[in-house]
Amino acid sequence: MLSTGELKKQAAKIRATCVQMAFDARESHLSSALSCTDLLAVLYGGFLRGTAEKSNLGRDRFIMSKGHGCSALYAAMAAYDIISPSLLKEYSRTDGALPNHPCRHALKELEISSGSLGHGLGIAAGMLYGMRLSGNTDSRAVVLMSDGECNEGSVWEAAMFAAAQKFGNLLAVIDHNGSQAVGTCSVIMGDTSLEEKFRSFGWHAVTIRGNDIAAVKTAFEQLPAGNNKPAAVIAKTIPGSGVSFMEKNIEWFYRSPSAEDLKNALAEIGAEPLG
Amino acid sequence: MRRAFSDTLLKIAEKNDKIVFLTGDLGYKVFDDFIAKFPGRYINTGVAEAQLINTAVGLALEGYRPIAYSIAPFATARPFEQIRFGVAYHKLPVMIVGAGGGFTYAKSGVTHHAPDDLALLGILPDMTIVSPGGPDELRMLMPELLKLKGPSYLRVGKYGEPELNHPSPVELGKGRCLRAGKRIAIITSGDIVCDIYPKMNIFLSAGLDPALYHFHTIKPVDRSIFPEIEKNCSTAVIVEESIPQGGIYREICEWKAETNSKLKILRSGAPDAFILGSPSREELRTRLGLTAAALKDLCLQEFRIAK
């Protein structure tokens, strides 16, 4: 695992790249991309093992189930040399490798496509079953999800199944930014605790500050090893995190930055975009 | 046919250790032999059809050949999004098995009817769809489906259908001519052929000489047979437990539209309505005109008009 300082630098690079990509492609979803940049920075910064090598059967499987935040995924993959930074200019381009929802047919480095919510966790559990049949109980499956995604019933079908199968090597990271497409999660689906929900489904669950690199790093490092419960890290994050005028403003779920927005955002982030 | 399915499953699994069988908590006692022999390769995902399919997707991504089984509406309509996204979009070799397709479970009511399974899965790209006539067709076609690189749907009937026992070859993707005839062609898909084929005498005694074609593979359909039908017949009567948006009816209508064929197409199938109440399958087939006697009347009527 990289040091906290190094991880912070990587997170800043990923953030800056997200804003640049959204500007270049006239795309949106920055709220959701920026809220999970710190999580991705730490996951790829040493937590995930062998993820870059698709031919390595012993790799950890990483699934970006919240596909709408994929500019952060692409930027993180570039920041950690899983894809070439030169590929970033293909974001959202017709026939490019980086469509505006991840597609495995376009980018072979992905475990699965995403864009429709509520699938990643269940598919990860299926992958773990397959790995176990193949005698691989060391690899982990890590799924980055959104809190709005947890509205989907299929998430809870997967949660039941994973607990029943005792998949201790399954980790769900919930980007709990409190915001979904048309409002606030707690208003739409009730002001209840995701941590308690997962725990009552038989999971190990913790809630952390998800835009605090040190806290994220510690949480991942301190996950219980060798037990047979799947784990959920509920990461409380800020939509649009890292760019003050984008934070907690649902507009940035839909808006693309102007040239001035880009300039101001990059100045605030204090890092150069990749690519 | 259900027994043919579980026997074939066991045989294939003995030879291929990548076969994993998943059920959405259905098939009481049907798979006991499989469970005893391959406990690790049997997964009951519970009454959770989204997870049934998503588990299969994950297994396929890890190189396995999952077979996901449930009663037809719960294997198709219920987890349609999981099939569309996980299975079809990713082009994975997952076999979905709908037990009791069509009106097999007529008596159980609307929730258990699946006249729409062929239509629903038929709209998904690269999905191979097979609705076998008799247990013999299932035994021959299921191993072929498990060799495909992409997804498939197998509609399985109930217990006790007779063998079709016809000498024509059974090949995936190929239609079968069960009887040559003149003017009218009866075209079946699925297990209804087991009811029609042994009763061809009903047509002969009425002075009719219809051809009988059977399509176990709905998609990709064997289009090469349609011109043959057109050459010998002026009218085709499609009989199948399917809504018109799926099954052979949809396929032949598409072909007719594309080729400007003059073949007249009639249909005996499921209506655009929920079937309420608790009719037996036989009662329902009679009501919907899905019997040899009803088809004979339809043909006679057509014959008189054609004359």
Side-chain angles (χ1 to χ4, degrees):
Chain A
M1 181 80 84
L2 297 179
S3 70
T4 303
E6 287 165 323
L7 290 169
K8 278 183 180 168
K9 277 186 199 157
Q10 288 289 67
K13 233 188 272 179
I14 296 166
R15 268 200 175 85
T17 306
C18 287
V19 184
Q20 182 72 49
M21 287 164 76
F23 173 77
D24 291 344
R26 297 178 179 277
E27 275 297 341
S28 52
H29 283 140
L30 269 175
S31 300
S32 322
L34 296 180
S35 64
C36 66
T37 49
D38 301 296
L39 301 170
L40 285 163
V42 182
L43 285 172
Y44 279 116
F47 182 75
L48 293 169
R49 298 167 306 197
T51 304
E53 310 144 52
K54 279 294 283 292
S55 57
N56 171 11
L57 294 177
R59 73 190 184 280
D60 286 343
R61 273 64 164 171
F62 175 65
I63 290 176
M64 177 80 169
S65 195
K66 48 167 285 183
H68 56 286
C70 63
S71 61
L73 171 72
Y74 300 146
M77 290 173 93
Y80 288 103
D81 299 320
I82 295 170
I83 60 170
S84 162
S86 64
L87 212 56
L88 294 171
K89 61 180 177 296
E90 293 192 21
Y91 175 51
S92 203
R93 290 253 179 97
T94 312
D95 301 327
L98 311 180
N100 61 6
H101 286 101
C103 174
R104 192 170 176 253
H105 301 296
L107 187 63
K108 302 290 175 211
E109 285 79 0
L110 299 173
E111 298 288 348
I112 66 165
S113 304
S114 52
S116 174
L117 294 171
H119 293 296
L121 194 61
I123 291 173
M127 292 168 100
L128 285 172
Y129 198 102
M131 286 188 255
R132 189 161 72 191
L133 277 180
S134 306
N136 173 6
T137 50
D138 295 328
S139 294
R140 297 171 295 193
V142 178
V143 186
L144 181 56
M145 301 157 64
S146 74
D147 46 5
E149 180 171 7
C150 293
N151 293 179
E152 295 281 5
S154 54
V155 167
W156 303 102
E157 289 190 14
M160 279 187 281
F161 178 74
Q165 292 293 335
K166 305 188 189 323
F167 287 138
N169 48 353
L170 175 61
L171 170 63
V173 181
I174 320 290
D175 177 9
H176 190 12
N177 59 28
S179 171
Q180 50 192 92
V182 190
T184 304
C185 298
S186 58
V187 173
I188 294 164
M189 288 302 283
D191 193 6
T192 55
S193 158
L194 278 169
E195 183 182 323
E196 281 175 27
K197 281 193 193 120
F198 273 100
R199 202 171 281 153
S200 71
F201 274 71
W203 287 51
H204 167 80
V206 289
T207 302
I208 62 159
R209 292 189 311 280
N211 293 124
D212 176 339
I213 289 278
V216 176
K217 183 172 183 278
T218 306
F220 288 165
E221 283 171 344
Q222 290 181 352
L223 283 172
N227 84 6
N228 55 14
K229 279 184 179 185
V233 169
I234 321 296
K236 286 206 166 179
T237 58
I238 299 164
S241 166
V243 180
S244 57
F245 60 91
M246 292 182 184
E247 288 187 355
K248 295 182 187 169
N249 180 352
I250 202 164
E251 210 173 284
W252 288 98
F253 198 90
Y254 302 101
R255 248 182 83 176
S256 179
S258 65
E260 198 184 343
D261 293 331
L262 174 68
K263 195 178 128 204
N264 293 337
L266 292 181
E268 209 178 303
I269 294 165
E272 285 294 313
L274 296 160
Chain B
M1 206 188 293
R2 208 71 64 89
R3 175 56 61 195
F5 173 73
S6 55
D7 289 350
T8 309
L9 171 70
L10 198 60
K11 272 191 193 144
I12 296 172
E14 278 165 359
K15 288 185 198 143
N16 183 350
D17 62 6
K18 294 292 181 191
I19 299 286
V20 179
F21 179 78
L22 303 98
T23 173
D25 202 38
L26 285 165
Y28 179 63
K29 287 197 179 290
V30 181
F31 304 105
D32 285 1
D33 292 345
F34 187 94
I35 297 167
K37 219 157 192 176
F38 309 108
R41 287 154 63 192
Y42 170 89
I43 309 174
N44 183 352
T45 60
V47 192
E49 291 79 8
Q51 190 54 34
L52 170 73
I53 301 299
N54 275 342
T55 308
V57 169
L59 282 161
L61 287 165
E62 291 298 324
Y64 286 88
R65 303 276 330 199
I67 299 173
Y69 174 96
S70 189
I71 289 179
F74 313 136
T76 56
R78 178 83 188 211
F80 183 77
E81 159 63 6
Q82 279 72 28
I83 297 170
R84 178 182 180 272
F85 168 81
V87 178
Y89 179 23
H90 289 87
K91 298 189 181 188
L92 294 174
V94 173
M95 182 200 261
I96 295 151
V97 180
F103 294 119
T104 306
Y105 290 110
K107 226 170 174 44
S108 300
V110 171
T111 53
H112 287 57
H113 298 169
D116 50 6
D117 56 343
L118 306 176
L120 275 169
L121 295 204
I123 60 176
L124 295 173
D126 301 320
M127 182 70 72
T128 298
I129 297 191
V130 167
S131 180
D136 44 351
E137 279 194 348
L138 184 142
R139 279 192 292 271
M140 287 183 256
L141 294 169
M142 188 172 151
E144 297 305 307
L145 285 177
L146 287 164
K147 287 179 195 158
L148 295 174
K149 286 183 178 155
S152 59
Y153 175 63
L154 178 66
R155 188 200 256 197
V156 176
K158 54 183 170 77
Y159 282 101
E161 296 97 336
E163 305 284 344
L164 190 49
N165 276 335
H166 188 276
S168 62
V170 180
E171 290 171 58
L172 185 64
K174 297 281 179 200
R176 301 176 77 187
C177 178
L178 302 184
R179 183 183 191 280
K182 289 183 210 123
R183 303 198 69 162
I184 291 179
I186 293 168
I187 302 179
T188 59
S189 77
D191 56 11
I192 201 153
V193 71
C194 297
D195 192 45
I196 307 290
Y197 175 58
K199 294 178 185 162
M200 290 308 284
N201 275 336
I202 292 179
F203 297 91
L204 302 184
S205 339
L208 295 160
D209 182 21
L212 177 62
Y213 289 90
H214 172 63
F215 289 79
H216 44 67
T217 307
I218 313 285
K219 187 183 176 183
V221 78
D222 183 3
R223 278 196 170 195
S224 70
I225 288 192
F226 296 154
E228 180 188 319
I229 295 171
E230 189 184 30
K231 204 172 132 199
N232 301 318
C233 305
S234 56
T235 303
V237 183
I238 319 296
V239 51
E240 58 187 349
E241 287 189 350
S242 173
I243 56 173
Q245 294 86 346
I248 294 301
Y249 180 73
R250 193 204 95 146
E251 297 290 345
I252 200 167
C253 286
E254 223 173 77
W255 168 82
K256 180 178 154 77
E258 284 171 24
T259 59
N260 271 326
S261 160
K262 298 282 178 279
L263 185 68
K264 184 171 179 185
I265 297 168
L266 304 175
R267 185 181 82 96
S268 262
D272 181 23
F274 289 119
I275 311 286
L276 304 179
S278 291
S280 69
R281 194 186 203 189
E282 290 65 34
E283 284 170 328
L284 193 50
R285 280 186 170 178
T286 304
R287 196 198 296 175
L288 299 177
L290 294 163
T291 62
L295 286 174
K296 181 253 305 171
D297 292 343
L298 185 66
C299 292
L300 279 177
Q301 196 186 2
E302 176 60 22
F303 184 70
R304 280 189 206 105
I305 292 164
K307 226 152 95 175

